[in-house]
Amino acid sequence: MASETSGYDYIVVGAGSAGCVLAARLSEDAGTRVLLLEAGSREPLPAVATPRAWPTLTGSSMDWGDHTVVLDGIGRTEAWPRGRGLGGSSAINALAFVRGHRASHDAWVTAGAQGWGYDDLLPYFRRTENVKGGDPAVRGRNGPVSVWTSTSPHPLSQAAMDAARQVGHPIAADANSGLEEGFGWTELTVVDGKRQSAADAYLLPVLDRPNLDLVTDALVHRLVVDGGRCTGVQYSVGTRMVTAECGTEVVVAAGTVGTPQLLMLSGIGPQDHLRELGIDVVADLPGVGANLHDHPMTTVIYHSMQPLPPFLANGGAEVKGTVRSGPGAPWPDLQLFCAVVPMRTATLPGPEPGAGYTIAVSLMAPFSRGSVRLATAQAGAASVIDPRYYTDSRDLDAMAAGLRAARELGTAQAFDAWRGEEAQPGIDVQDDDALRGYLRRSLRSYHHYAGTCRIGVDDGAVVDTDLRVRGVEGLRVVDASVMPSPISANTNATVYAIAERAVDLLRS
Ligand SMILES: Cc1cc2nc3c(=O)[nH]c(=O)nc-3n(C[C@H](O)[C@H](O)[C@H](O)COP(=O)(O)OP(=O)(O)OC[C@H]3O[C@@H](n4cnc5c(N)ncnc54)[C@H](O)[C@@H]3O)c2cc1C
């Protein structure tokens, strides 16, 4: 069964972090008709609202359930959750609301993304936020996203903050100002004890607008491109195929995996790859699906000398800090945090929850780059995701420095009342080779996938500095995939800011 729908100004594909911002802002103008299409369901699972339940959402019906390929040098796959449903990944994420250091944003400009430096994005960071403290010149007061910091931190979190002080790390007055380095309390997207996803903050409050249509359980199969111009999309709801047309632009906000997947299914991507799969080439853009980056993570896990009280919030990552891996690091390229749970990969032994805790470290400026490719020409099929973690050996060097920094923090006096034996990596793991081996064994994704449709002006760029897809009229990409290089922070706050700025670009 097939049908058609038309009369829209904009079609937004994907109701995730970026898509919710776009749909809500674009429909502020009552004369603008917006169609928002989302593959997932309208009703969130109950666990979405409960911050500490976030790990249970990986593998649930709100996760696409992807895995990487068997990773080079690591020898196993890694789960690669991404949200499916209203709010997208902001509905299943760990709720941390973190801006990058300004230098990591300014690196985008160096990479050719004029207009996307920290000062350019600052008004949009502020536009998203409703923050009580901080410098009003830097932090927003009236935005839809409320941030919350625990007022009664877990005793282990307090120990982590004290430990940071003891080992000489700066304590940042506002770790989210983008200007400071050091440790601070983590801001979370929590309101009255419940998660605030992008849907909660932006979309649900405006869903009754007559000029905004939302269709859920709608899988977009391909973009309709006619004479070099994108005029709409084809999507399915159950067995019904629908062609939707729009007069102004289609905005793809399907995320770092979903967006290159949809572009390639529509013939926009590396021509050799498309031809292999029998897809007609609409625009040969070799950068689609390339430049995939993520923040790799490792953990130092301790047995606890005393039972750990239960945690609230998001699992106890209440304290985060940024440090440099060495004097040559261009910005604070490592993030450390303390978690009240033993975060170990399934293959490594160690304490059970309640009997152990973690100092985690993640590389915020990885050099390794991977790719997203189609496995088949069928919409909705899993893609081939190869992040190629640690394939650039500089990443292993920086992470070895990170492991040392995590141990320094973990062995500070402030943890004496808690610290039992080091379960992972274990005290025998000391020299560089042993540390590198452990980094591979313990690798986890921090789920900050980005970069597969990067902004730029060179032939490898997918979108120009106004986020227009190169070589196709009427089509933009607005989501984490446009980030040219990794930011030194968890990605959600930056995706909101990208989408807020995109709205100004779309309106201009
Ligand atoms: C488990 C996990 C934990 C994380 N923790 C944090 C954290 O604590 N803090 C932080 O800052 N960041 C965190 N992140 C990362 C952050 O949430 C993401 O970077 C951000 O949400 C990405 O936004 P996006 O708009 O690019 O994509 P998404 O939010 O993933 O949205 C894409 C949307 O498009 C839809 N879609 C895709 N393909 C199609 C299609 N063909 N048709 C229709 N719809 C489609 C998807 O269903 C989805 O709703 C985490 C991510 C994960 C997965």
Side-chain angles (χ1 to χ4, degrees):
M1 205 165 59
S3 61
E4 285 189 12
T5 174
S6 61
Y8 294 104
D9 296 293
Y10 294 102
I11 297 175
V12 178
V13 179
S17 296
C20 288
V21 177
L22 291 162
R25 293 296 192 199
L26 290 171
S27 63
E28 280 171 356
D29 173 2
T32 300
R33 283 200 65 203
V34 180
L35 173 64
L36 175 62
L37 299 170
E38 166 55 45
S41 137
R42 188 175 285 252
E43 286 303 319
L45 294 171
V48 168
T50 309
R52 70 175 169 214
W54 74 266
T56 67
L57 294 162
T58 292
S60 75
S61 59
M62 292 192 67
D63 170 15
W64 286 81
D66 292 332
H67 285 79
T68 66
V69 299
V70 174
L71 294 164
D72 196 16
I74 289 164
R76 62 176 164 81
T77 64
E78 172 73 355
W80 192 267
R82 58 185 174 108
R84 181 181 176 126
L86 294 190
S89 297
S90 76
I92 68 165
N93 76 10
L95 302 98
F97 191 75
V98 191
R99 278 188 207 171
H101 187 272
R102 66 176 301 138
S104 69
H105 287 288
D106 289 345
W108 292 6
V109 179
T110 313
Q114 284 298 328
W116 292 94
Y118 182 78
D119 288 337
D120 304 304
L121 274 179
L122 183 56
Y124 302 100
F125 278 123
R126 293 181 66 248
R127 192 176 289 181
T128 63
E129 293 176 344
N130 175 5
V131 175
K132 298 271 181 305
D135 175 357
V138 180
R139 303 304 306 271
R141 293 281 185 264
N142 303 310
V145 179
S146 295
V147 300
W148 172 86
T149 306
S150 173
T151 45
S152 51
H154 192 281
L156 200 76
S157 303
Q158 188 59 57
M161 187 60 99
D162 296 342
R165 234 181 237 113
Q166 285 168 358
V167 301
H169 292 302
I171 304 302
D174 179 0
N176 254 357
S177 66
L179 308 170
E180 294 182 276
E181 298 185 33
F183 281 68
W185 300 106
T186 312
E187 292 180 358
L188 302 176
T189 44
V190 170
V191 177
D192 297 333
K194 295 194 169 138
R195 175 196 296 270
Q196 187 196 47
S197 70
D200 300 319
Y202 281 91
L203 184 66
L204 299 181
V206 303
L207 254 191
D208 59 354
R209 286 180 185 157
N211 60 327
L212 172 60
D213 288 346
L214 165 69
V215 185
T216 49
D217 300 305
L219 177 71
V220 178
H221 290 228
R222 68 177 196 96
L223 306 164
V224 179
V225 182
D226 190 6
R229 179 173 187 85
C230 185
T231 56
V233 305
Q234 283 182 342
Y235 66 93
S236 65
V237 178
T239 55
R240 191 163 64 95
M241 279 303 294
V242 183
T243 302
E245 290 177 1
C246 68
T248 307
E249 294 197 50
V250 172
V251 188
V252 183
T256 294
V257 174
T259 290
Q261 186 178 38
L262 181 58
L263 293 186
M264 289 189 279
L265 286 170
S266 311
I268 303 165
Q271 62 177 349
D272 293 348
H273 177 55
L274 300 181
R275 289 204 176 106
E276 272 165 25
L277 292 166
I279 298 172
D280 290 341
V281 178
V282 170
D284 175 25
L285 286 182
V288 174
N291 187 45
L292 175 65
H293 45 84
D294 184 20
H295 296 141
M297 187 193 284
T298 187
T299 53
V300 178
I301 297 170
Y302 295 97
H303 291 275
S304 178
M305 297 231 289
Q306 47 175 317
L308 286 157
F311 57 83
L312 295 168
N314 70 339
E318 291 175 312
V319 174
K320 282 192 201 296
T322 53
V323 302
R324 290 178 192 245
S325 60
W331 55 78
D333 59 340
L334 296 167
Q335 187 193 84
L336 277 75
F337 67 86
C338 173
V340 185
V341 288
M343 293 172 56
R344 56 189 169 82
T345 50
T347 48
L348 295 176
E352 295 302 318
Y357 60 91
T358 303
I359 309 290
V361 56
S362 180
L363 180 59
M364 298 283 115
F367 289 97
S368 303
R369 296 289 184 270
S371 63
V372 172
R373 291 280 176 260
L374 295 177
T376 75
Q378 194 193 334
S383 294
V384 180
I385 301 168
D386 185 2
R388 303 187 78 240
Y389 295 113
Y390 297 148
T391 49
D392 189 312
S393 66
R394 291 173 290 182
D395 294 350
L396 284 166
D397 295 342
M399 280 294 272
L403 268 176
R404 293 193 178 97
R407 275 176 161 164
E408 185 188 35
L409 190 74
T411 51
Q413 188 215 332
F415 279 113
D416 283 357
W418 298 100
R419 188 180 51 252
E421 192 188 341
E422 182 184 294
Q424 294 293 340
I427 50 164
D428 295 343
V429 177
Q430 294 293 345
D431 66 28
D432 279 355
D433 276 356
L435 289 177
R436 282 168 173 249
Y438 177 68
L439 287 169
R440 291 193 170 99
R441 286 197 300 283
S442 63
L443 173 97
R444 306 168 67 99
S445 165
Y446 207 175
H447 311 310
H448 298 157
Y449 336 124
T452 48
C453 293
R454 70 175 167 86
I455 310 170
V457 287
D458 60 302
D459 288 347
V462 175
V463 294
D464 68 13
T465 53
D466 287 342
L467 306 181
R468 295 178 202 275
V469 174
R470 294 169 62 236
V472 184
E473 296 287 306
L475 180 63
R476 301 203 207 206
V477 172
V478 180
D479 56 25
S481 72
V482 303
M483 298 187 194
S485 54
I487 53 155
S488 67
N490 314 50
T491 38
N492 200 35
T494 299
V495 174
Y496 288 160
I498 290 171
E500 289 277 16
R501 180 157 193 265
V503 171
D504 276 0
L505 294 172
L506 283 156
R507 284 175 175 156
S508 64

